[in-house]
Each structure stands twice: as structure tokens, then as C-alpha cells.
Amino acid sequence: MQSPQTVAATPASPLETIALDVTGMKCAGCVKAVEKQLTQHPGVVSARVNLVTEVAVVECEAGAIDPVALAEQVTEAGFPTQPRLATNAGEKAKEALSPAERHALENRQQLRQLVIAGVLILLSGIGHLNQHFISFPAYFSPLTNIWFHWGLATAALLFPGRQILVDGWRGLRRNAPNMNTLVALGTLTAYTASCVALLFPQLGWECFFDEPVMLLGFILLGRTLEQRARGRAAAAFQALLALQPKVARLIANPTDAGATPRAKGNDFGGIEIPVEQVRVGEWLRVLPGEQIPVDAEVVAGQTTVNESMLTGEPVPVMKQAGDSVAAGTLNQSGAIAIKATRTGKDTTLAQIVALVEEAQIRKAPVQLLADTVAGYFTYGVLAAATFTFLFWYFIGSQLWPDVTMLSAVGIESHSAMHSVMHHASGIDREPPPLQHSALLLSLKLAISVSVIACPCALGLATPTAILVGTGLGAERGLLIKGGDVLERVHHLDIVVFDKTGTLTTGHPVVTDYLPVGNFLPESLLQLAAAAESGTTHPLAEAIGEEAHRQELSLPLAHEFYTEPGLGVSALVEGVRVLLGNADWLTQQGISLNNSEQNQAQQLASAGKTVVYVAADGQVAGLIGVTDTLRPDAKATVSRLRQMGLRVMLLTGDRLEAARAIASQLELNPDSDVLADVRPDAKAAAIAQLQTQGQHVAMVGDGINDAPALAQADVGISLQGGTDVAIETAQIVLMRDRLLDVVKSIQLSRATFNKIRQNLFWAFAYNTISLPVAAGVLLPTFGLVLSPSAAGALMAFSSVSVVTNSLLLRKSLSTDN
């Protein structure tokens, strides 16, 4: 019988994705426990859980999983969960707090936690200092009294620490111990040992009620600071979510910006409806200062639109009838009427939000080691704490009997404290001498081990960096689709550029038209433009635009035929006209003489694409077309090469034209140019480079680039490209700016470097601190970590990892 954990869909089974909001996770161990719960559910193929965003994405067989039942299963395991259902998204949006209200509530909760943590640390710190280091004046005596500290510890465990204790017990009972389990064991052990010392003074044990109080204080302080840092890490994504408009103004007649509303009753005209109720094809009015509610086409009016929230481009863009506008962008100067073209989850903004959220879930392969370690880490820590206790109780205290002195630091102050207790209780006999207890030393070291080795930093190392990096990218118009992409970018060797529309403007112009025989230049252009009128190829558009510029009338053409990558044919006033490359004419049985070949060679050597024109089986002439380089193409190639990357050119154009472009970019025309590559062979060309052990990025924008984008280790698509190319690519550039290729690679590299730094420090912290907490330095140097110090260091490690991720914003701002 197959284990539920290995249930998988057959290749033919359709898959669907379910998103769940999961709360209650505190560390990487919790993440592993949630993923285990999800993958054990029958029908689940895979599950990914993000600690920072508290989102789980489950891939399962279509129709096989009830999201509510799946959420209930995770909730029963101790992690309150609810599904994200599209059907009631609008209702939830109405019920949910506004961003300002939610931010204010979070601030109040964090402030309350900070106050509680501060009070606990202050009061317990006074007792700790009085016991071990200094004697406070008499008016401090109520704060140094042992019974006060017993009450403080009891109250700390019952109130601010109650949730930690309960969650820790649940984790232990479920056989899924977590960070709270470790903290709960440490605080309860310290509290219990101190109560025994207080109730049975004849044992001569030390009371250390300040330790569990300080430990809880540092844990609460660390979590609050960590939560605030997480909030700053997610700020860019939250700002992106806030761009989504809530209402739209429906109108009936879009003849102008003051269109007649479908109903009366609004000073501005139109009916305000929830944006999710807008249907494709409906007309809407947008006034100055309002957000565009959906993706649409302007049908009346003229304005400027600020698109910086989507593209990062600060300069407003002029929009008039026929232009497209995107949801979430800001209408600035004029009232316009628009026709909805895409709504709901199909809008550009919704797709960007989905891409960014998906990116924050997808894990980098380097995180697999951290996840694997974290999954078993808590068990390892419990084992280490047990081993530490047994070693020091049975062996260490025998080998080094003097070290037990450290379990009762400050004998004089401790005796004085007992003396205060003795006089306060009215007992006339002297308290028993303090015993240097091996039991107390062993307990303290075991508690320190259990607290300091919590895998929080490991769990936060990757998701916080990805959260900051992808959020920064979204701010700057760079969409990076996940942590796995970041790691692949880090290993890149080669960046391959498509030529037309990528390195070039994609708007070629006719520079030469050379007739052959009895054809006149104008008649050659007329024939070519008529035959090309049946296709939308960039070269066809260039020829048509030239004919229009010269105000030439086009003869009637029909029977159009297109052979992709070769050419076209059409019947123009009874004459069969062919346009295309030399191979196309050869296939049709038309040969070129030496003069025609020489003319073509001269055009190609000048970097121009040669279009051959034939009529009734004879060559009629040659047309030279050139596509100018983008203004930033040369700078982009230069920057990439400075970054240690090899840059190559991939094109279906003739070798001569490709070499001319390569020379302008200072590329080697022999080794860095792949020309005459048909669309269906581009992916094979990328695969050939990969077989040589190279990690390849492909930059393209067209449908014919999609296979190559998918084949490449990293596909980079320009937003001006087709939806197919954007869907296939791993990085999408929202601005029509080639230099963003450099910025996307820099951002990916910087983010991945932060991940590696975070993982290094997280592993180093545990590697160094765990032996110290276990007492390795105690026999030689007399150094030992108290439980409260261990708690402070553990909190510091988590906060430092998140803070290091936040520094990514500063470092990139400095670079730019």
C-alpha cells in the first residue's frame, strides 16, 4: 500500500494550485511540520510554505482536495489555517481592515509587547545585578526581595509566557517540537528548580527566578523586533497590493470624457461599482487623480498617466484614444473614458502581484540544506541538552569539581538574600550553607543549550532575503519569479540576446530599394508593399510604411501565403510576387546572377537585411532594410561583460547583417554570433551551449523566442514582448529599457549573496554558540552562558538575519 506521503498525480492528471494562509509558525521547524502535514494529505503532489509571508502553496490533483478540509487538518496540528477562496475574495475584502487600520493595530500590539518585554528585563535585571554584582540601596529592597521575583516569574509564565508554554506543549505532544517547545522547557525547568530552592532552603540551592523572566523578556523583545523588521521587508509588496483599486465608475456612452452615466445620482457622473464586478467591454470614466481600475483602452479624452508603480519609470506617459492603460496606474491630468479589456486576476497588476507572491514562495535550492537541517534540528537540540545535562551531572562535575562554583556565583549576595528571607520570615536559626550543586550547573547548561540553538535564524535566512529582493524588483519594474531563479542567475556564464526587437528597436526602416531590369524604383516598392500587406512581420511593416511615406497607391493583392522564416507570396493584379530571403527564392526555382548577388552582399555588409523581390519568376529587385540598435544596447553589453559574463547574439538574420550589429556592440563576429537560426532552432542553439557546461540566460521578446526562453537556465523577457514570452521567462522587465537586464542580474546576484550571508551566519551562530552554551569553555576559561544570555543571543541572531536582508535595499541604492 502506498504511503500518503508519496501520493502523486500521474503525468496525465491535471493539477491545480491551492493557497492557504497559515499562522502560528515561529521557526523553520514549524515550516517543516506544516509541509509534512500538507504532503501527507491524499492527493497532494507538493507543498511549499513561507515562514515570513505565512502562505502555503499546495499543488494537487484537480478536484481531489477540499481546501477547507485541508486547512482544518493543518489547524488541528496547531497552525491556524484558512484557504484563500476566490469566490469570497470580495466579501473578505469588505470585512478586512484597511491597510491603515491594520498597520495601526500591529503598531499597538508591537508597542505592548515591547513594553512588557522591557518591564520584564528591567525588573529581573535589577534582581540579577543585586544578586551577583552590586548592592542596591534599601529603598530598592522590595524589588530585590526573593518573593517579589517569585511572583514576577510566576506572573511572567502565566500571562505573557502562557502562549509560548501552551504552543510548546502542543508541539511536543504532536511529536513536532518547535522553538516554543525549547523555550518552554528552559523556562519551566529554571522556574521549577528555583521553586525547589525557595521551598527547601536546607538543600542550599541557588534561586534564579530572574533567569526565566529575562529569558521570556528577551524572547518577546526579539520577536517584536523581528516582526517589525519583517514588516519593513514586506513593505514593497504591501505597497504593490495597496495599488489595487477598489471601485470603478461605470458609464453608458464613451463619446467623451463627460460621458452620460448609465444612471443619475453622482456628481461626477457614472455609477460606482466594486472593481471586481467590471466586465470586459464595459465603459468606465476615470477622473484626474484617480487610479485606472482595470486594464483598458482609452476611447475618449487625453491625459498623462503615471505608470511608475508598475514600471519604475517616473516620467508620466501621454495617453489618448487607442492607447492602452493598466490597472493601478494613476491618471494625472485629464478625464478619460476607457473600455475594459482585462479584469480581475487577468489585469497586469494582478498578474504582477501573483508573480511576486509566487516568487516569495519558491525556494532557492540552497535553502534545501537549511530546511533539511531545521526539520530535525529541534530533536537534535533536545538530544544535545539532555546529553549536556547528563555529562555535567555525572562526568563533568567529577572531572572539574571547582566548576560547580559557577552554579552559585555570588555566594555572599546569595547568602545575604537568604538572610533577608530568614529575617523576613521571623526564623531565628541561620540558613544552611550554600551547596555548590552539580545538579543546578547541569540544569543551567542544559537550559542554555535548549534556548540558544533554536533554528529561527535558519528559517528566516532565505525567505526574508527573497522577500526584500523580489519586493525591490517589483518597485523597479523587475519581476523575478522565485528563489530558484536567483540561484541560477548567480551561476550564469553567458547572456544570449535575440536581435530584432531586443537589441534593436524592433521598428526597421527601408534604406534602399534597387530595381532590376525594366522595373522602376516606385513600382518595385508598390509591388513589395502590396504583397506584404497580408502579413504583420516587422520587415513587412517597414516596407508598407515607406510606401505610405512616399504616398504610393497600392495595387490590389490576394492569395497571400507566408512561409515562416523564409518569405511571403501574393497575387498582385495577376502577377505572382515573392518576397523573402535567398533561400525562399531558390525554393521557388528563381536564381540570382552575379550582379544581384554583389548588390545583396554590399547591403548585407552594411548591416542591412536584404529582402529579395521576384515577379513572374524573375528577380525584380532588392530592398535594404535596417533595424537600428536601441540607445542603451551598447552600454548594456559593455556592463554585462564587465560583470564577467560572455554576451552572444542569436538571430534568424543573415550572417553579414548579424556581424554588422555585432561590430557596433564590440562583440566578436566569429565566436559571439549565431546567425541564420530559424525560430524552431533557437532552443537547440541554447541547448548546444548548455551541453558545453555553460549556464545560459536568454533575452527575448517574441513568440518565436519562447522555446529558447524556456530552454535557457534563465529566460529574460521584455514587457513589450508577447504574453507567451513573458509567461515562459523567469525574469520579466516591465520597462522598455535594455539596461534593466543588467539591473535584474545585479539584483538577483545581490539577493542571492544575502541568502548565502544569512545562511552562513545562521549556521556559524549555532556552530559557535552551541558548544559554548554546553560548557566547552567552562573548565579552561570559566566562561558559561546563563539561560537569559542564551535567550538574548538567540533573539539577536534572528533579528540580525532579518536586518541583514533589509540592508539589501541600502546596498542597491548605493550601487545605483
Side-chain angles (χ1 to χ4, degrees), residues 266-305:
N266 191 321
D267 292 338
F268 300 104
I271 304 172
E272 285 195 354
I273 63 173
V275 72
E276 61 266 16
Q277 294 180 11
V278 176
R279 298 188 296 270
V280 172
E282 289 188 320
W283 297 320
L284 308 168
R285 172 195 277 177
V286 186
L287 299 176
E290 293 182 339
Q291 287 180 306
I292 308 294
V294 295
D295 286 4
E297 178 184 332
V298 178
V299 293
Q302 181 175 300
T303 188
T304 55
V305 175

Side-chain angles (χ1 to χ4, degrees), residues 261-530:
R262 187 181 294 180
K264 303 292 185 181
N266 191 321
D267 292 338
F268 300 104
I271 304 172
E272 285 195 354
I273 63 173
V275 72
E276 61 266 16
Q277 294 180 11
V278 176
R279 298 188 296 270
V280 172
E282 289 188 320
W283 297 320
L284 308 168
R285 172 195 277 177
V286 186
L287 299 176
E290 293 182 339
Q291 287 180 306
I292 308 294
V294 295
D295 286 4
E297 178 184 332
V298 178
V299 293
Q302 181 175 300
T303 188
T304 55
V305 175
N306 185 339
E307 298 180 332
S308 61
M309 59 282 296
L310 295 183
T311 66
E313 182 59 59
V315 180
V317 181
M318 176 65 71
K319 298 290 184 180
Q320 54 191 359
D323 291 337
S324 60
V325 290
T329 56
L330 183 65
N331 180 27
Q332 287 193 321
S333 59
I336 54 173
I338 60 176
K339 180 181 180 181
T341 55
R342 292 192 292 189
T343 63
K345 65 180 181 180
D346 296 325
T347 65
T348 302
L349 178 59
Q351 290 175 354
I352 291 173
V353 170
L355 283 175
V356 174
E357 193 166 32
E358 168 69 11
Q360 293 168 355
I361 294 293
R362 287 169 61 175
K363 299 178 180 180
V366 72
Q367 190 182 355
L368 295 177
L369 174 62
D371 285 350
T372 301
V373 171
Y376 301 99
F377 205 85
T378 307
Y379 295 102
V381 172
L382 291 174
T386 303
F387 174 78
T388 299
F389 175 82
L390 295 175
F391 173 82
W392 282 104
Y393 186 72
F394 291 106
I395 300 175
S397 58
Q398 307 300 320
L399 291 177
W400 305 286
D402 291 341
V403 300
T404 55
M405 292 284 292
L406 292 172
S407 67
V409 176
I411 296 175
E412 294 80 11
S413 59
H414 177 88
S415 300
M417 179 177 63
H418 271 276
S419 178
V420 170
M421 293 168 51
H422 154 72
H423 290 299
S425 60
I427 302 174
D428 293 330
R429 55 186 172 82
E430 287 296 320
L434 181 67
Q435 302 297 319
H436 307 326
S437 172
L439 176 60
L440 284 180
L441 174 63
S442 304
L443 278 175
K444 281 189 173 183
L445 293 176
I447 292 169
S448 297
V449 168
S450 68
V451 172
I452 203 168
C454 179
C456 288
L458 281 176
L460 293 168
T462 298
T464 53
I466 292 176
L467 190 70
V468 174
T470 53
L472 277 174
E475 278 184 0
R476 303 176 184 200
L478 314 172
L479 298 183
I480 303 169
K481 297 183 180 179
D484 52 334
V485 178
L486 298 173
E487 187 159 345
R488 291 203 294 271
V489 168
H490 188 78
H491 296 300
L492 285 179
D493 303 305
I494 302 174
V495 179
V496 178
F497 283 91
D498 171 56
K499 181 176 78 70
T500 305
T502 303
L503 282 172
T504 63
T505 61
H507 299 288
V509 294
V510 173
T511 58
D512 307 87
Y513 39 100
L514 310 175
V516 173
N518 297 326
F519 282 93
L520 297 174
E522 290 79 7
S523 60
L524 173 66
L525 194 58
Q526 281 179 306
L527 278 178

